[in-house]
Amino acid sequence: MEEEGSYWKTSITYVEKNKILVRGYRIEDLMENLSYGETFYLIFKGELPNRKWKKILDALLIAGCDHSLFCPSVAAARYVASGGVGLQNAIASGVNALGKYHGGAIEGAMKFFYILKEEIKKEGRMEEAVKEFVLKYLKKEGRVPGFGHKLHTDKDPRVLKLFQIAQECGLKGEYLEIARNVEKALAEIKGRKLPLNIDGAMAAVACELGFDWRMGRAIFVLSRGLGIAAHSYEEIVNGRPFKEVPLKQIRYVGPKERGLPIHRRDEK
Amino acid sequence: MEEEGSYWKTSITYVEKNKILVRGYRIEDLMENLSYGETFYLIFKGELPNRKWKKILDALLIAGCDHSLFCPSVAAARYVASGGVGLQNAIASGVNALGKYHGGAIEGAMKFFYILKEEIKKEGRMEEAVKEFVLKYLKKEGRVPGFGHKLHTDKDPRVLKLFQIAQECGLKGEYLEIARNVEKALAEIKGRKLPLNIDGAMAAVACELGFDWRMGRAIFVLSRGLGIAAHSYEEIVNGRPFKEVPLKQIRYVGPKERGLPIHRRDEK
Amino acid sequence: MEEEGSYWKTSITYVEKNKILVRGYRIEDLMENLSYGETFYLIFKGELPNRKWKKILDALLIAGCDHSLFCPSVAAARYVASGGVGLQNAIASGVNALGKYHGGAIEGAMKFFYILKEEIKKEGRMEEAVKEFVLKYLKKEGRVPGFGHKLHTDKDPRVLKLFQIAQECGLKGEYLEIARNVEKALAEIKGRKLPLNIDGAMAAVACELGFDWRMGRAIFVLSRGLGIAAHSYEEIVNGRPFKEVPLKQIRYVGPKERGLPIHRRDEK
Amino acid sequence: MEEEGSYWKTSITYVEKNKILVRGYRIEDLMENLSYGETFYLIFKGELPNRKWKKILDALLIAGCDHSLFCPSVAAARYVASGGVGLQNAIASGVNALGKYHGGAIEGAMKFFYILKEEIKKEGRMEEAVKEFVLKYLKKEGRVPGFGHKLHTDKDPRVLKLFQIAQECGLKGEYLEIARNVEKALAEIKGRKLPLNIDGAMAAVACELGFDWRMGRAIFVLSRGLGIAAHSYEEIVNGRPFKEVPLKQIRYVGPKERGLPIHRRDEK
């Protein structure tokens, strides 16, 4: 059905005896000259990032590194670790949880920002375009991804720092500005602050760096992956095997005890 | 924030010393009197199935039990197995693949059938309602879930047998009829046969049995889970560790070897 | 490196247009004539089970179907479900947890029973051989897999029912007898009851049925898979997105707030 | 059963309104002053790494970033991606594969090096101690983890570069020396070169940095995680849904078609 050798196609890595080329560059050159964040950029985007972006690329991946057991992925990973599996299996189960409601907002917010940017371009005036678009979006989707946080309702230190480093690294700032305008529009529409959260801030920075919105979840995986891994390790080393949920956390709300109807019995 | 004991709520199982109630029934009563398929029904739906449904419930879960390495979940599970992990980890990786394009059509088709049924009710005439709805759906979504198969283009034995058993077990047949009408409408619209496939047939039967469409993927997990598990075991026992993709299956299409630009060097 | 077509080898399923053979049998014949439990046996062992085993095969898979949130796999699956992922992803994360300390004892106990059986054969006298072997094993491994339960310390209803059905189905009972003898030996050695638990009972029955001990985890995956799937569904439908661990469940025991040493600053 | 708040214990991260402390440090301080590799060290080890280790910490995580489809984890992730799941689910399935035979050798080699170091200390003479220990180990385990590579049989560029950077960063070099001595001993014993591979080199460097051997798999997860993520993305964007294994890669070696025995029919 397929020609020889065309079953898998990849432009990421070439391998031969004693040689490994990642996006065309020798892996030892990357190890010698690039940071982890720059390597992340290269392996995803195919080209080297701007030299000035080194700090923001690492900061982007450090920003989401952990938030303790407040996030379900870490709780899940720790439960899985207690089942007596390999460290990587516990991590994988945590990573599996990073869906629509958990880090997935990066993806959604990036898409939102990219489309909104086009709208602003068409409309001309930032403020008006943003407000109109947010209104329309809220009507259709109910909420804008990347805004609002239960705990950090005010000044999430990660958001502030990420924006500061982004500016220091010479990013243009177009998407940062858009993000702040959306925040303003939301406050006006809702009548209360719905702050840019860490997902939204990571999304705005990722847009500045030119990442495809479909890479959004990978950014979070390699960021929160740090915390998920460290928590899994902590559970394996300090936790007890087969960690169960204590009785007092569970409320059974199902049917009371009942017998099988007589005609269901003895007929299997 | 929460009252004691309200953190987890569940209506599935109650446990105390020497007693386990599943949906209110003693587990030993289920072991004595129910089949696996009936237990699947009970644990998901909360009530016992009609006694006559025993055979169709098992057949539904057997229908998708394996399709060899033609499906990506099995290939994935076998590769993971070769990494030297627990059998359950290989199975989990395979199950993880059962998404939108792989078994996930059951979910989509169930939703489609349930909505179409309402349309038919409103419109009155089956044939017209189906054709109109399919046309509209194709326009919007491109394709109808649960129809078309690369290999079994004609008479998928699983589909035929599932429908036969469904009738023998006294299911009403409303969704089976709708499924066949959709097949007919698609043939007319497309000018070629796009047969009801196994996902679509399992969906139609699951609708007959009153399952929520959001349970669709669970049906496939416990069905194809059999094959994924058996293949993972076969790989662990007979395969070689670290199964790699042979060179001839891969075509590298990325950039040629290139040096890092001089200004990127020695500055880390 | 490999001949055409020898890259994957499988003896499980053969597929061609409109034909699917599982272990040589047409899939429609299985749907028509076998139960889920019998299909499980066939797909793993390659041959049809004894006709009399139908009930015990299903009971084996129903026995472990759920134990509420007392088991970490279910808690993990529910947390993952709350992240906003596909139902199958939540299930996969739960299945991933079924390791050494969680269902994995079936594997360990099967191996233990198979070796012990050989020892008994050599030694001749059941009681003496068991006691000696258990003593040696405890010395080396600390505990015997498949014995002891926190909650069901006495008469686990699943264990009793499984053994009863096994006898009704005409299993020889050799491994059941061995299991009971190990229980007796443990009570004598430890001075308190360490009852055969559900893992141990499933293991003894699986030995009777001739399953390879390396299939042990698959038995539990397809059994507890029912509960994991139902709980994941319940969480998706009734739970709230991004289920976090409440503050009062967490005790932070790490270092107090501290500043980065001055020489670590401003140098990135 | 448990006191309030003692259910989960963690020393990794403390969170309150607008404040996140990772191992006691404010997260914005980490973003401002640490690299990704340094953050990895901090979150796992609990303390800041030596300032001179910045380059080796990143290089350690870059070294294993990708090796194309030669590794089963990447193939698995791509198959799962083709099933129509979230990017993070494909990544998780790949990470799940990083077991005993796939990156897991880092863990094994670290343990091996740590024990060997103690042996050398007792014995006094490096060469003799190494040879004796390797001989004993080979006898018991069959092979030493971290040595031997199918493709890079000679001068794996990653190994050479990792050792060079390790020396530049002022690591003591004790474990690097041990690793080279093991290589020498293996060559003498086996009569052919069994080179230190990337797992072994990462293990030796990780020992130099004082990581616990049980962290070994996490190092590989966050390293190869880069490649697994990039490949998953490539498959989602460029691949086709439901990627199946081509017929010519599969050899069916099971039983020929056979009918169910007559007594198995019609009795369900």
Side-chain angles (χ1 to χ4, degrees), chain A residues 124-187:
Chain A
R125 289 161 309 171
M126 165 80 85
E127 219 164 301
E128 285 76 2
V130 168
K131 196 156 180 187
E132 197 183 327
F133 190 73
V134 168
L135 271 168
K136 240 194 310 182
Y137 197 92
L138 282 174
K139 216 172 192 173
K140 205 181 149 204
E141 305 286 344
R143 56 181 311 235
V144 176
F147 294 84
H149 200 285
K150 251 186 215 176
L151 196 63
H152 311 303
T153 50
D154 210 358
K155 296 182 174 187
D156 188 322
R158 302 168 293 181
V159 174
L160 301 176
K161 181 55 79 180
L162 211 48
F163 272 46
Q164 178 207 309
I165 297 176
Q167 280 162 334
E168 285 170 25
C169 287
L171 296 183
K172 278 195 186 171
E174 296 174 307
Y175 293 96
L176 307 182
E177 198 192 348
I178 289 173
R180 286 306 186 195
N181 271 279
V182 173
E183 201 178 30
K184 218 176 119 198
L186 279 167

Side-chain angles (χ1 to χ4, degrees), chain C residues 25-215:
Chain C
Y25 299 107
R26 284 176 175 266
I27 196 162
E28 62 268 34
D29 280 358
L30 308 185
M31 292 165 68
E32 180 66 39
N33 297 291
L34 298 195
S35 67
Y36 186 89
E38 289 173 320
T39 306
F40 176 83
Y41 184 97
L42 172 67
I43 206 167
F44 266 91
K45 299 270 300 169
E47 297 298 331
L48 293 168
N50 188 313
R51 287 180 70 191
K52 296 183 192 155
W53 296 353
K54 183 183 252 180
K55 187 167 170 179
I56 186 68
L57 281 164
D58 266 20
L60 177 65
L61 295 176
I62 296 169
C65 72
D66 197 37
H67 203 254
S68 192
L69 287 120
F70 293 87
C71 67
S73 58
V74 163
R78 295 186 75 131
Y79 275 118
V80 172
S82 86
V85 301
L87 178 56
Q88 87 279 7
N89 305 125
I91 300 171
S93 295
V95 166
N96 228 13
L98 304 177
K100 197 177 161 193
Y101 306 132
H102 188 355
I106 296 178
E107 185 178 292
M110 285 177 79
K111 208 172 164 182
F112 177 88
F113 292 145
Y114 277 133
I115 298 172
L116 176 49
K117 173 119 190 284
E118 291 307 305
E119 292 298 312
I120 293 165
K121 218 164 138 186
K122 270 191 261 167
E123 149 74 36
R125 287 161 310 170
M126 164 81 83
E127 219 165 300
E128 286 75 2
V130 169
K131 197 158 182 186
E132 196 184 329
F133 190 73
V134 168
L135 271 169
K136 244 196 306 184
Y137 196 92
L138 282 174
K139 215 171 192 172
K140 204 180 151 204
E141 304 287 344
R143 56 181 309 236
V144 177
F147 293 83
H149 200 284
K150 252 185 213 176
L151 196 63
H152 310 303
T153 50
D154 211 355
K155 296 183 175 189
D156 188 321
R158 302 168 293 182
V159 173
L160 300 177
K161 181 55 77 178
L162 211 47
F163 272 46
Q164 177 207 312
I165 297 176
Q167 281 163 332
E168 284 170 24
C169 288
L171 296 183
K172 277 197 187 171
E174 295 174 308
Y175 293 96
L176 307 183
E177 197 192 347
I178 289 173
R180 286 306 186 195
N181 270 279
V182 172
E183 201 179 31
K184 216 176 120 198
L186 278 167
E188 282 172 30
I189 293 164
K190 298 272 187 183
R192 64 188 168 85
K193 194 159 192 202
L194 212 59
L196 182 66
N197 62 30
I198 183 63
D199 293 340
M202 287 171 81
V205 169
C207 287
E208 294 284 337
L209 295 163
F211 284 108
D212 180 0
W213 64 267
R214 291 169 295 184
M215 295 167 181

